[in-house]
Amino acid sequence: MGGALPAAAQDQALAADATFCGGLSANGQWLGGTESASDLAAANAHLEQMALVLQNNEYVGLFSLSAPAAVRLEAQGRGSGDPAIDLYDEGGAVVLSDDDSGGDGAARAETELQPGRYCLAMRSYDGSPMTGFVRVGRTEHEALTTGADTPAAPPTDPAMPPAEDPDATGLDAACDPATLSTFLGEGEPLDRLLANGPVTATATANEVPFWGFRLETPAALSITAENPDADPSITITDEFGGYLADNDDWDGLNSRIDLSAPLQPGSYCLQVNALADTAQPITVTVAPFDVQAAQIGLYERGEASPPLDGSYPVTALGPVDGRLRQDVRTDDTAAWLSFEVGQPGLIVIEAVTNNLGDPSLVLFDEVGRQIAFNDDNGGSYDALVAARVMPGTYLVGVRQFGDGAQALTRMLLELYVPTQPAP
């Protein structure tokens, strides 16, 4: 490859350029930050990374073993996230898979592994976006999860005051439409009220764990629950208790359910939980489902790339020939930049804030296929992606983690092309 990379960037480029695990490593991140620091046999403690899994996508963590070892592999989602893991050996064969062996929806597996390089893939069980933690360690290292066979907690003390009893909120109970006393829109059919705008209500999860609502005509809806300090999660069921949908951490810690297929006339129940603080107010909003707004939301969260027809703001950087630098003021909405590649090579893109921000990067080709994603590279809050590219147009999105977060971010794009043999 032409040019020279810093040591950490060389390791990241190597990860993207390698073909082990059947090519899965191309979009992987070394769990120790660099390849040399990801040898689990020589590690003094476990290796761990926090990972954002976009919709119908997966995170791939890379590690190696210089000697045989008994290892523990774990993944734990934030909130109600339900991770599943697959471990691939260097040749791309699946060594093991797990979903719920860690307890409370977490994934966990313990096994003996031989020397080599490995890829641990974490995905959301139902394909929804999820933030989680991936940890690999030898069995003597500290575990991330409790394990599914951990004994249950002792029964609650009958003398405990109701306010301190977790069941007193009713958050773990099923919704009974016959006993509902709190309705969105004060019991009026929502399809009538939505003609005048969204319907909104605010209460704590302690005060109102269940909101009821009625429809007289079919309606496609978007339902949100907002307050990051509460970390809300929501579940919607029909009048017979049948599950319809749920969500946690749709964008940051807020939740949203998009029901693009119209709900039929009838009564429905919305369960609202607070995973962080049940005493914090949560604002619930019901609005008509808007296809265009939903698509723009994907662009703003970096889950899909915008079109290049001028209908959505994209900063054109032009061709990348060697190195290109651009300063961008970023916030929690993805800023999009496009660039041109004229010859096959390796593109390395960095988002640098020197720990004054927490940026993430996502890279798409011109067709809209996601090529790479990264957050928190090399033990810092800055981000780096490296991927093979062919001639064409690419889009990179950069956003800050956290509601309302802002930072001046320096974008650095470097294209490395294969050296040509001497004549």
Side-chain angles (χ1 to χ4, degrees), residues 368-405:
R369 292 176 292 227
Q370 182 180 317
I371 298 173
F373 171 85
N374 179 251
D375 181 29
D376 298 349
N377 168 68
S380 77
Y381 289 124
D382 291 339
L384 180 149
V385 294
R388 286 173 171 163
V389 291
M390 299 298 291
T393 302
Y394 294 84
L395 292 96
V396 59
V398 56
R399 68 182 297 210
Q400 294 294 324
F401 179 79
D403 291 339

Side-chain angles (χ1 to χ4, degrees), residues 19-327:
T19 57
F20 62 95
C21 297
L24 189 67
S25 62
N27 291 324
Q29 300 294 324
W30 290 105
L31 289 169
T34 65
E35 182 175 13
S36 58
S38 300
D39 180 3
L40 195 56
N44 294 325
H46 60 261
L47 308 176
E48 180 178 290
Q49 281 194 4
M50 182 178 178
L52 172 65
V53 177
L54 301 181
Q55 189 161 0
N56 295 317
N57 214 310
E58 65 182 2
Y59 164 84
V60 179
L62 313 179
F63 69 95
S64 64
L65 287 168
S66 57
V71 303
R72 182 189 301 113
L73 313 152
E74 300 170 281
Q76 186 175 63
R78 292 184 60 182
S80 61
D82 184 2
I85 58 173
D86 298 295
L87 179 66
Y88 297 81
D89 65 15
E90 192 160 341
V94 177
V95 178
L96 58 84
S97 299
D98 186 73
D99 178 20
D100 292 332
S101 297
D104 295 326
R108 173 170 169 162
E110 297 181 5
T111 188
E112 295 272 351
L113 294 179
Q114 297 302 309
R117 295 180 292 184
Y118 294 89
C119 299
L120 182 64
M122 178 185 75
R123 66 187 188 282
S124 178
Y125 179 78
D126 61 1
S128 61
M130 177 189 69
T131 302
F133 293 89
V134 172
R135 180 182 293 189
V136 300
R138 300 193 303 273
T139 51
E140 65 265 27
H141 291 157
E142 180 183 8
L144 173 66
T145 64
T146 59
D149 56 353
T150 300
T156 303
D157 183 354
M160 180 181 291
E164 298 179 14
D165 184 350
D167 290 335
T169 63
L171 297 179
D172 295 325
C175 178
D176 183 359
T179 62
L180 273 176
S181 60
T182 309
F183 288 82
L184 294 166
E186 298 182 349
E188 289 291 317
L190 288 193
D191 42 318
R192 290 187 197 173
L193 300 176
L194 291 175
N196 299 317
V199 175
T200 299
T202 301
T204 70
N206 286 336
E207 294 167 336
V208 184
F210 301 106
W211 291 94
F213 65 90
R214 293 193 303 118
L215 296 174
E216 284 186 333
T217 59
L221 304 175
S222 292
I223 304 173
T224 59
E226 298 176 291
N227 184 349
D229 292 334
D231 190 2
S233 67
I234 50 178
T235 302
I236 184 171
T237 57
D238 61 23
E239 58 189 309
F240 305 107
Y243 167 86
L244 296 177
D246 72 279
N247 181 255
D248 177 41
D249 296 351
W250 166 80
D251 187 17
L253 297 178
N254 293 322
S255 298
R256 176 176 177 135
I257 295 174
D258 284 323
L259 299 162
S260 56
L263 291 180
Q264 296 306 304
S267 297
Y268 295 88
C269 181
L270 182 69
Q271 178 179 357
V272 180
N273 196 353
L275 302 176
D277 186 350
T278 58
Q280 287 284 338
I282 297 171
T283 298
V284 173
T285 302
V286 181
F289 176 73
D290 185 327
V291 175
Q292 183 176 7
Q295 191 66 40
I296 291 175
L298 293 176
Y299 305 152
E300 292 178 343
R301 298 190 302 277
E303 295 176 13
S305 60
L308 292 172
D309 58 6
S311 61
Y312 192 87
V314 178
T315 301
L317 300 180
V320 177
D321 183 14
R323 173 180 290 190
L324 189 153
R325 190 177 72 181
Q326 177 82 15
D327 288 342

